[in-house]
Amino acid sequence: MKVALLTGVTGDLGEYIYQALVRDNYKVYSISRKNSDVIENGIVSDLSNSADIQKLEERISQIEKIDLVINCASVFKFKTIDDIRIEDFTESHLVNTIAPFVIIRGALNGLSRSDNPLVINISSDMAINANQTSIAYGTSKYALNYLTGNLAKILIDKGIRVNTISPASIDGNKINELFSGSDITNADGGRVKKSEIYNGISFLIQNKSTTGENLTISGGNLL
């Protein structure tokens, strides 16, 4: 059986990816801040807490085989330049950049036992499409994009591929509520569908020569 490690499983996109992976016959180890009755093989960890992240690395290193790692957890801190705090930057970078690195490092032994090891980091078009209130979020995702390229180069000799998917704002109850009343919209006036993101995941799984890439699903935002 194929084995996946997924963060952010209680979010709109993470829950969708979890269900799709299960349908595709993956055993999914899911990481989230709280337990869920509908999630099997759950690992509780607060990715905004550095001590939790360190414990998580040890836990992940004990998983015998891992075929797929998807870093989907994100924290959104949308504030103006006058309102943003140092703590907002700290939390954003812990969850969105540092935790993915530690999770990938912890998964290396398991990934080395797969015949098609793949890491996918879910980033955002805001990493390259600046918004007045996405300073902390955008910079943390920009750093995640750099991390992806760096690790792809480091791990290529081990046969481990590392890629990024950068969607624009995604259709989902929690995300629509978050962006309610904001000026954050896609160029076509809608939201990227979660199924489109999973199509991108499937593409990266199947195309074994693809590494160090940033697959953008932007709804026209980058035109």
Side-chain angles (χ1 to χ4, degrees), residues 32-33 41-42 55 119 128 137-138 142 149 193 200:
S32 61
R33 292 191 187 199
N41 304 304
K55 292 176 184 176
V119 176
I128 51 178
Y137 178 72
Y142 190 95
K193 293 179 175 60

Side-chain angles (χ1 to χ4, degrees), residues 40-52:
E40 296 182 4
N41 304 304
I43 302 172
V44 176
S45 182
D46 182 357
L47 299 185
S48 66
N49 183 298
S50 57
D52 265 24

Side-chain angles (χ1 to χ4, degrees), residues 163-216:
N163 292 285
T164 297
I165 294 178
S166 293
S169 55
I170 302 166
D171 187 43
N173 293 333
K174 296 175 185 176
I175 295 173
N176 290 340
E177 181 180 348
L178 176 68
F179 289 152
S180 177
S182 78
D183 61 351
I184 300 173
T185 57
N186 296 337
D188 64 0
R191 308 269 190 218
V192 172
K193 293 179 175 60
K194 295 185 285 291
S195 60
E196 294 177 287
I197 309 301
Y198 195 73
N199 287 343
I201 292 171
S202 298
F203 169 82
L204 292 173
I205 292 171
Q206 294 164 13
N207 287 267
K208 296 183 179 182
S209 64
T210 305
T211 191
E213 298 294 341
N214 183 7
L215 177 60
T216 58

Side-chain angles (χ1 to χ4, degrees), residues 28-47:
V28 183
Y29 289 92
S30 58
I31 300 168
S32 61
R33 292 191 187 199
K34 56 187 179 181
N35 278 314
S36 172
D37 293 336
V38 298
I39 302 295
E40 296 182 4
N41 304 304
I43 302 172
V44 176
S45 182
D46 182 357
L47 299 185

Side-chain angles (χ1 to χ4, degrees), residues 37-204:
D37 293 336
V38 298
I39 302 295
E40 296 182 4
N41 304 304
I43 302 172
V44 176
S45 182
D46 182 357
L47 299 185
S48 66
N49 183 298
S50 57
D52 265 24
I53 296 172
Q54 289 175 336
K55 292 176 184 176
L56 179 63
E57 180 177 11
E58 174 62 25
R59 171 68 179 85
I60 291 170
S61 70
Q62 297 170 6
I63 301 173
E64 184 174 353
K65 188 194 77 159
I66 302 173
D67 299 287
L68 176 64
V69 175
I70 302 178
N71 284 303
C72 187
S74 284
V75 62
F76 304 89
K77 296 289 182 180
F78 292 117
K79 296 183 179 181
T80 66
I81 191 171
D82 296 319
D83 296 330
I84 198 165
R85 303 170 302 156
I86 291 173
E87 293 80 5
D88 296 322
F89 274 95
T90 301
E91 184 178 1
S92 295
H93 281 266
L94 270 173
V95 176
N96 299 346
T97 312
I98 296 171
F101 167 74
V102 175
I103 288 166
I104 294 165
R105 187 171 65 180
L108 288 179
N109 285 338
L111 286 165
S112 69
R113 297 185 179 99
S114 171
D115 60 4
N116 184 24
L118 173 64
V119 176
I120 299 175
N121 295 318
I122 305 297
S123 185
S124 170
D125 72 333
M126 289 185 190
I128 51 178
N129 189 20
N131 180 278
Q132 293 182 3
T133 58
S134 65
I135 303 169
Y137 178 72
T139 54
S140 68
K141 291 298 189 178
Y142 190 95
L144 180 63
N145 291 355
Y146 179 85
L147 177 68
T148 297
N150 198 284
L151 290 179
K153 193 170 285 190
I154 291 170
L155 298 174
I156 192 168
D157 289 339
K158 297 180 182 293
I160 298 172
R161 298 183 293 124
V162 189
N163 292 285
T164 297
I165 294 178
S166 293
S169 55
I170 302 166
D171 187 43
N173 293 333
K174 296 175 185 176
I175 295 173
N176 290 340
E177 181 180 348
L178 176 68
F179 289 152
S180 177
S182 78
D183 61 351
I184 300 173
T185 57
N186 296 337
D188 64 0
R191 308 269 190 218
V192 172
K193 293 179 175 60
K194 295 185 285 291
S195 60
E196 294 177 287
I197 309 301
Y198 195 73
N199 287 343
I201 292 171
S202 298
F203 169 82
L204 292 173

